[in-house]
């Protein structure tokens, strides 16, 4: 900043990538996270029938990524030219790589949705039984590939913005990891809600216990990554130190301390650990904390995007 | 599940993550062609000569049909308020990086390096307006043209004046020879002769973007 000569005017002011991108990042995270959790749980349980968790995971995985596309395309300045991205691939661009990943992932989630709801679909669309017969033997392979693409989808959203050298808060190697972990956290919460609310999963079933168990290591990893991110800035160079102000400024302090720390860390800890069995076993409290976690993950994406783009070099 | 199966599963995860992390960051891109005849257009801004008249801004907007209120280049007044007599102007415009982040990130190849001139420029028709190039540019010198809805940058008048064999509009307009334009790959060009005898610097070279714009900082006035 004290160089011999510089300029400080820019041609694009303020936050260029706003809340629709944050919403997309959240939805992609939920989709990937829910997919990963349902596939891994199903695998280790050696599940034969489709459990409520499998149904919830497949439904969320498919619907959220499809809905995310609406935000992604809608945020373009020329949304009607979206097809250009599909014919002019630039393999040096994370966005192009992401688009390729998405165009594999969405059909995969659709097939996963078909597997999970095979009985229900065939009840109404009997003529699809030949598709079912064709797809059934492929299920383990499709699950395996989907698992990988779910991780790629979560991670690529991190790489997408971590290549932006102008913004120290974004340009860090931690971001993809943070997005995978927070995606798992939001996916976990969403799966739990949908499985118990719509697929009549028992609140104390084996699957729900698994979800509750993995909640904590995921949260600890998330806290660690956020902490590392903050430390990497505060001990960094002049630009990075400047970007650290994001955590303490009035503008973004509330978003971070209230949204990220409060909603996604403190509320689950208070209601599930500190207030004892009565609250932690209540259905209403479960929904409340799960929704709070999802809102917290959205706040994390908002904070990263908005604060990140505010504190440039 | 058997122990063996689990081991295989974990192995798969480990291997896959390795492949992914290597693949995702393997970006080596958009190097200009290096054969001898190829061009490397560059520009020098001499702070000693610029008076801040902004004739260049006006000419640029006119020649390149930049919508009102938007700019491909401007002159920023960086005069120290404590020393108002030592005027310091700085040209703000695309730095024409050799390792251009905008070219690297553009998903539809709309932002590209021209085959003939090696200038970083735009194909407005292919631009989808994702703004990735705008957030990727470390100099924040790109913008979305309000009329074409496509991202845009200073391309040394590549598709206007340069195509007609003329110098870029800002060069034509400058009465003080504060900006010099030329081909770095041409040993005898004026720009090379100036760079041989004058100290110049580049903006944020630590980012590794290898900008083509050179700045000659003002020397202290008086003794």
């Amino acid at each position: 900043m004290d160089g011999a000569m510089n300029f400080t005017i820019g041609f694009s002011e303020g936050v260029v990538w706003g809340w629709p991108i944050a919403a997309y990042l959240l939805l992609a995270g939920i989709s990937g996270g829910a997919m990963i959790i349902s596939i891994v749980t199903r695998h280790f349980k050696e599940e034969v029938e489709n459990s409520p968790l499998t149904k919830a995971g497949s439904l969320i995985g498919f619907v959220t990524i499809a809905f995310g596309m609406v935000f992604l395309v809608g945020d373009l300045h020329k949304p009607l030219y979206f097809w250009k991205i599909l014919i002019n691939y630039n393999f040096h661009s994370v966005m192009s790589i992401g688009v390729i990943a998405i165009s594999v992932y969405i059909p995969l989630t659709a097939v996963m949705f078909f597997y999970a709801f095979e009985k229900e679909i065939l009840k109404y669309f009997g003529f699809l039984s030949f598709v079912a017969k064709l797809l059934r033997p492929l299920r383990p392979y499709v699950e395996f590939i989907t698992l990988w693409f779910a991780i790629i989808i979560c991670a690529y959203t991190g790489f997408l913005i971590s290549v932006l050298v102008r913004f120290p808060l974004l340009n860090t190697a931690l971001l993809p990891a943070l997005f995978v972990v927070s995606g798992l956290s939001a996916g976990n919460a969403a799966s739990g809600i949908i499985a118990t609310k719509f697929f009549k999963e028992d609140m104390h079933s084996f699957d729900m216990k698994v979800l509750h168990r993995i909640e904590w290591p995921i949260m600890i990893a998330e806290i660690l990554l956020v902490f590392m991110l903050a430390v990497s800035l505060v001990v960094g160079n002049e630009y990075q130190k400047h970007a650290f102000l994001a955590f303490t400024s009035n503008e973004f302090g509330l978003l971070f301390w209230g949204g990220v720390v409060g909603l996604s860390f403190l509320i689950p800890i208070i209601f599930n650990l500190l207030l004892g069995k009565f609250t932690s076993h209540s259905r209403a409290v479960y929904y409340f904390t799960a929704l709070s976690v999802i809102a917290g993950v959205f706040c994390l994406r908002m904070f990263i995007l908005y604060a990140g783009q505010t504190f440039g070099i | 599940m058997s122990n063996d199966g689990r081991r295989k599963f974990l192995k798969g995860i480990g291997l896959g993550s390795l492949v992914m992390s290597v693949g995702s960051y393997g970006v080596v891109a958009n190097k200009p062609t290096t054969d001898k005849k190829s061009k490397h257009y560059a520009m020098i801004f001499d702070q000693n000569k610029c008076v801040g008249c902004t004739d260049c801004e006006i000419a640029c907007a006119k020649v390149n049909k930049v919508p009102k209120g938007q700019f491909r280049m401007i002159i920023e007044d960086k005069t120290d308020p404590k020393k108002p007599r030592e005027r310091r102007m700085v040209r703000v415009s695309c730095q024409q990086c050799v390792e251009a982040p905008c070219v690297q990130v553009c998903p539809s190849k709309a932002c590209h390096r021209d085959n003939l001139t090696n200038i970083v420029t735009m194909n407005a028709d292919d631009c989808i307006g994702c703004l990735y190039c705008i957030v990727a540019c470390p100099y924040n010198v790109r913008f979305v043209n309000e009329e074409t809805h496509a991202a845009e940058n200073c391309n040394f008048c590549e598709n206007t004046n340069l195509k007609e064999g003329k110098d870029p509009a800002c060069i034509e307009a400058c009465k003080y020879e504060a900006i010099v334009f030329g081909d770095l790959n041409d040993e005898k060009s004026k720009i090379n002769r100036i760079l041989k005898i004058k100290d110049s610097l580049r903006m944020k070279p630590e980012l590794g973007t290898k900008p083509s714009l050179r700045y000659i900082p003002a020397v202290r006035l008086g003794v």
Side-chain angles (χ1 to χ4, degrees), chain A residues 4-13 16-17 40 43-44 46 75-79 81-85 88-97 99 144 147-148 151-152 155 159-167 171-173 176 239 309 313, chain B residues 1 6 9 12-13 16-17 20 24-25 27-29 45 47 71-72 74 76 78 90-92 95 103-109 124-132 134-144 149 201 203-204 206-207 215 217:
Chain A
M5 202 170 166
N6 69 345
F7 55 79
T8 40
I9 289 182
F11 289 168
S12 298
E13 277 171 37
V16 173
W17 276 1
V40 173
H43 179 77
F44 282 111
E46 296 181 34
D75 192 50
L76 297 175
H77 270 242
K78 292 159 78 178
Y81 286 78
F82 181 71
W83 51 272
K84 293 262 187 190
I85 211 173
N88 294 331
Y89 281 111
N90 171 8
F91 290 98
H92 302 300
S93 167
V94 180
M95 195 181 281
S96 279
I97 296 168
V99 166
F144 185 72
L147 174 64
W148 279 110
I151 300 170
I152 289 171
F159 284 114
L160 182 72
I161 54 177
S162 76
V163 298
L164 306 176
V165 287
R166 185 161 49 148
F167 310 113
N171 187 20
T172 120
Y239 302 128
Q309 287 177 74
I313 60 177
Chain B
M1 184 178 41
R6 186 167 301 179
F9 182 69
I13 289 184
S17 58
M20 232 177 68
S24 310
Y25 255 134
V27 276
V28 202
F45 172 82
Q47 201 175 37
F71 305 95
R72 282 188 179 192
I74 52 169
E76 184 180 1
K78 293 291 277 183
V90 183
R91 178 192 167 104
V92 183
Q95 303 289 303
V103 175
Q104 205 152 77
V105 301
C106 179
S108 62
K109 290 185 180 166
D125 289 338
D126 278 349
C127 179
I128 56 169
C130 68
L131 311 188
Y132 205 8
I134 285 168
V135 281
C137 175
Y139 304 97
N140 192 7
V141 287
R142 301 178 62 82
F143 61 97
V144 172
H149 299 288
L201 51 86
M203 296 293 179
K204 297 177 186 165
E206 70 273 16
L207 298 177
Y215 289 80

Side-chain angles (χ1 to χ4, degrees), chain A residues 9 16 35 45 89 91 117 119 133 136 148-149 158 162 176 188 195-196 201 203 237 241 244 257-258 276 285 287 302:
Chain A
I9 289 182
V16 173
M35 222 60 202
K45 256 174 60 188
Y89 281 111
F91 290 98
F117 295 92
K119 269 188 200 155
K133 217 175 264 167
R136 217 169 282 147
W148 279 110
F149 271 89
S162 76
N188 185 339
T196 49
E201 177 73 306
M203 291 296 285
N237 59 31
K241 284 200 178 78
F244 178 76
W257 294 103
V285 167
Y287 289 147
M302 286 290 277

Side-chain angles (χ1 to χ4, degrees), chain B residues 74-91:
Chain B
I74 52 169
I75 299 294
E76 184 180 1
D77 189 346
K78 293 291 277 183
T79 308
D80 185 349
K82 286 178 216 144
K83 303 176 201 158
R85 299 189 58 183
E86 294 179 20
R87 307 256 285 156
R88 295 285 185 271
M89 301 297 159
V90 183
R91 178 192 167 104

Side-chain angles (χ1 to χ4, degrees), chain A:
Chain A
M1 290 175 202
D2 294 324
M5 202 170 166
N6 69 345
F7 55 79
T8 40
I9 289 182
F11 289 168
S12 298
E13 277 171 37
V15 171
V16 173
W17 276 1
W19 64 267
I21 299 295
Y24 164 68
L25 297 179
L26 172 77
L27 291 167
I30 292 179
S31 171
M35 222 60 202
I36 294 168
I37 288 168
S38 77
I39 292 173
V40 173
T41 322
R42 196 182 133 80
H43 179 77
F44 282 111
K45 256 174 60 188
E46 296 181 34
E47 186 176 300
V48 185
E49 282 293 302
N50 288 320
S51 67
L53 181 61
T54 301
K55 287 182 178 174
S58 312
L59 178 71
I60 295 166
F62 177 57
V63 171
T64 51
I65 193 72
F67 201 51
M69 285 299 103
V70 177
F71 284 99
L72 193 62
V73 177
D75 192 50
L76 297 175
H77 270 242
K78 292 159 78 178
L80 296 179
Y81 286 78
F82 181 71
W83 51 272
K84 293 262 187 190
I85 211 173
L86 300 171
I87 55 166
N88 294 331
Y89 281 111
N90 171 8
F91 290 98
H92 302 300
S93 167
V94 180
M95 195 181 281
S96 279
I97 296 168
V99 166
I100 296 171
I102 289 171
S103 23
V104 178
Y105 179 69
I106 292 183
L108 282 174
T109 55
V111 176
M112 290 293 289
F113 178 81
F114 186 82
Y115 283 137
F117 295 92
E118 201 186 308
K119 269 188 200 155
E120 288 83 350
I121 291 173
L122 291 184
K123 206 189 281 174
Y124 297 102
F125 305 99
F127 61 90
L128 287 174
S129 57
F130 77 95
V131 181
K133 217 175 264 167
L134 221 65
L135 286 176
R136 217 169 282 147
L138 299 175
R139 183 160 184 175
Y141 307 105
V142 172
E143 280 178 344
F144 185 72
I145 300 168
T146 311
L147 174 64
W148 279 110
F149 271 89
I151 300 170
I152 289 171
I153 291 294
C154 285
Y156 116 82
T157 55
F159 284 114
L160 182 72
I161 54 177
S162 76
V163 298
L164 306 176
V165 287
R166 185 161 49 148
F167 310 113
L169 181 60
L170 305 182
N171 187 20
T172 120
L174 289 170
L175 217 55
L178 178 60
F179 277 20
V180 172
V181 173
S182 59
L184 279 172
S185 157
N188 185 339
S191 301
I193 296 177
I194 302 292
T196 49
K197 184 90 190 159
F198 296 106
F199 300 116
K200 296 178 191 130
E201 177 73 306
D202 180 39
M203 291 296 285
H204 305 291
S205 70
F206 176 78
D207 282 356
M208 288 306 287
K209 283 211 175 92
V210 169
L211 291 191
H212 279 302
R213 264 297 155 70
I214 60 175
E215 210 170 83
W216 302 110
I218 292 172
M219 187 193 287
I220 290 167
E222 206 178 336
I223 293 173
L224 265 176
L225 285 166
V226 171
F227 180 69
M228 288 173 186
L229 184 62
V231 171
S232 78
L233 292 179
V234 85
V235 300
N237 59 31
E238 196 178 351
Y239 302 128
Q240 290 168 317
K241 284 200 178 78
H242 179 62
F244 178 76
L245 289 178
F247 292 93
T248 53
S249 68
N250 288 331
E251 218 180 336
F252 303 106
L254 183 69
L255 194 58
F256 179 75
W257 294 103
V260 181
V261 176
L263 290 178
S264 56
F265 304 145
L266 288 182
I267 286 192
I269 291 175
I270 291 171
F271 280 89
N272 287 329
L273 287 184
L274 302 182
L275 289 183
K277 283 216 158 147
F278 176 71
T279 53
S280 64
H281 284 185
S282 132
R283 186 176 271 260
V285 167
Y286 176 70
Y287 289 147
F288 172 69
T289 53
L291 285 173
S292 158
V293 166
I294 296 174
V297 173
F298 181 58
C299 287
L300 176 71
R301 307 294 210 250
M302 286 290 277
F303 171 74
I304 297 271
L305 264 188
Y306 277 75
Q309 287 177 74
T310 304
F311 296 93
I313 60 177

Side-chain angles (χ1 to χ4, degrees), chain B residues 60-78:
Chain B
C60 168
K62 198 175 158 195
V63 165
N64 296 304
K65 298 192 178 69
V66 183
K68 220 178 168 193
Q70 294 193 299
F71 305 95
R72 282 188 179 192
M73 61 91 42
I74 52 169
I75 299 294
E76 184 180 1
D77 189 346
K78 293 291 277 183

